[in-house]
């Protein structure tokens, strides 16, 4: 095989990776530069922030399963990147003080879902939307809204079933976090203790808003991943770690309204 030029180091090498994010992807990057890129990207991501691992050339997000295909299942840099994402779904048990992620582990088999016939007919569409979501062609909000509005009282059962089938840690975490914004009350797997996932406090404060952030008026949330931001200066245009662009003033106002009416504006 003829050597090709790496678009990052400009060296002529044999181990060139191509078609990183799609079949028409123009990238041609050597394995060493790819691993170094992922290492730098991993170190730049804050612990617990759900970030995407984009193509280094065309900046499109790439499913982490695709990265495993390119670099191998046991690539250490990909593993470290995934571990930082899992922290975003972690809570501390109020009884044993163990910090553990609530993000479901991936598996390949799908247990049968008992649904009324009127809802079961939507499963093919759900599979299609999940495929689009995993390819970064659909947002977590859009997929979650479809599940919630279509399956209604069965939505939690659907989410419990499909989350482990999403092998991309970032995609799985984004959907999990979106779900837990609406249903934050969980039980820890170690002690079966009640915890609010949103404010990480012990107990289920049903009917009362989370109090951990109520005193600060200068907080906004990313409209995509819901990461909280505090800003002291700079312009109104913001870019989240997940890649979402938003207006600081707009999202700050939205966050303040949510504190006033947390259920109607969720």
């Amino acid at each position: 095989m003829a050597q090709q030029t790496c678009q990052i180091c400009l060296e002529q090498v044999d181990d060139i990776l191509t078609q990183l994010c799609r079949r028409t992807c123009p990238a041609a990057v050597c394995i060493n530069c790819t691993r170094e890129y992922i290492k730098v990207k991993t170190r730049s991501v804050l612990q617990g922030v759900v970030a995407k691992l984009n193509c280094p050339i065309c900046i499109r997000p790439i499913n982490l399963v695709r990265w495993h295909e390119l670099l191998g299942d046991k690539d250490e840099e990909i593993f470290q990147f995934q571990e930082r994402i899992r922290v975003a779904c972690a809570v501390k048990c109020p009884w044993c003080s163990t910090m553990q992620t609530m993000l479901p582990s991936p598996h390949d088999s799908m247990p049968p879902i008992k649904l009324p016939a009127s809802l079961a007919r939507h499963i093919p569409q759900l599979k299609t939307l999940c495929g689009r979501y995993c390819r970064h062609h659909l947002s977590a909000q859009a997929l979650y809204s479809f599940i919630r509005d279509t399956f209604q009282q069965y939505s939690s059962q659907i989410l419990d079933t499909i989350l482990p089938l999403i092998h991309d840690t970032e995609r799985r975490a984004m959907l999990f976090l979106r779900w837990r914004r609406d249903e934050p009350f969980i039980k820890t797997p170690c002690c079966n203790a009640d915890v609010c996932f949103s404010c990480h406090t012990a107990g289920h404060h049903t009917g009362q808003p989370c109090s951990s952030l109520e005193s600060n008026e200068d907080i906004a949330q990313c409209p995509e991943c819901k990461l909280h931001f505090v800003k002291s200066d700079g312009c109104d245009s913001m870019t989240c770690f997940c890649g979402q662009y938003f207006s600081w003033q707009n999202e700050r106002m939205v966050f303040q309204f949510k504190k006033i009416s947390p259920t109607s504006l969720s």
Side-chain angles (χ1 to χ4, degrees), residues 55-233:
C55 172
I57 302 302
C58 56
I59 321 299
R60 290 173 179 263
I62 300 178
N63 189 291
L64 292 179
V65 175
R66 174 59 177 160
W67 281 116
H68 280 301
E69 293 174 353
L70 293 168
L71 300 175
D73 291 335
K74 297 183 179 180
D75 186 82
E76 182 64 23
E77 300 304 332
I78 298 291
F79 176 78
Q80 292 297 329
F81 188 85
Q82 291 173 318
E83 283 301 304
R84 287 177 177 263
I85 292 174
R86 290 189 184 97
V87 174
C89 303
V91 295
K92 186 177 183 180
C93 177
W95 291 1
C96 67
S97 298
T98 301
M99 181 68 74
Q100 53 195 315
T101 183
M102 304 302 295
L103 187 65
S105 299
H107 61 69
D108 296 319
S109 60
M110 180 176 178
I113 306 175
K114 295 182 179 180
L115 295 172
S118 59
L119 296 180
R121 63 187 179 89
H122 295 292
I123 293 297
Q125 185 180 3
L126 174 62
K127 291 181 178 179
T128 299
L129 293 178
C130 285
R132 291 185 58 203
Y133 174 70
C134 289
R135 293 190 296 273
H136 293 273
H137 295 164
L138 192 71
S139 68
Q141 176 63 50
L143 179 57
Y144 175 78
S145 295
F146 171 80
I147 295 172
R148 180 193 59 195
D149 297 341
T150 302
F151 297 97
Q152 299 178 11
Q153 69 266 32
Y154 294 92
S155 60
S156 293
Q157 181 184 354
I158 293 291
L159 287 162
D160 268 331
T161 301
I162 68 171
L163 275 170
L165 299 177
I166 301 175
H167 286 214
D168 183 330
T169 308
E170 182 272 335
R171 297 281 77 192
R172 190 164 70 254
M174 286 292 290
L175 184 58
F176 175 81
L177 292 172
R178 178 59 191 89
W179 175 26
R180 288 308 171 194
R181 276 172 47 208
D182 282 357
E183 300 181 26
F185 300 147
I186 59 174
K187 290 183 178 292
T188 59
C190 51
C191 303
N192 204 36
D194 292 341
V195 176
C196 174
F197 187 84
S198 293
C199 61
H200 290 209
T201 56
H204 292 171
H205 50 83
T206 305
Q208 298 178 356
C210 296
S211 59
S212 59
L213 298 171
E214 284 186 349
S215 60
N216 198 321
E217 298 295 323
D218 293 321
I219 289 179
Q221 275 185 314
C222 169
E224 175 64 19
C225 70
K226 302 306 173 185
L227 182 69
H228 293 93
F229 284 88
V230 177
K231 186 166 76 76
S232 58
D233 55 18

Side-chain angles (χ1 to χ4, degrees), residues 39-56:
K39 182 187 297 184
V40 172
K41 180 72 173 179
T42 300
R43 291 176 179 175
S44 68
V45 174
L46 297 178
Q47 190 88 331
V49 171
V50 181
K52 297 177 177 64
L53 195 53
N54 298 332
C55 172

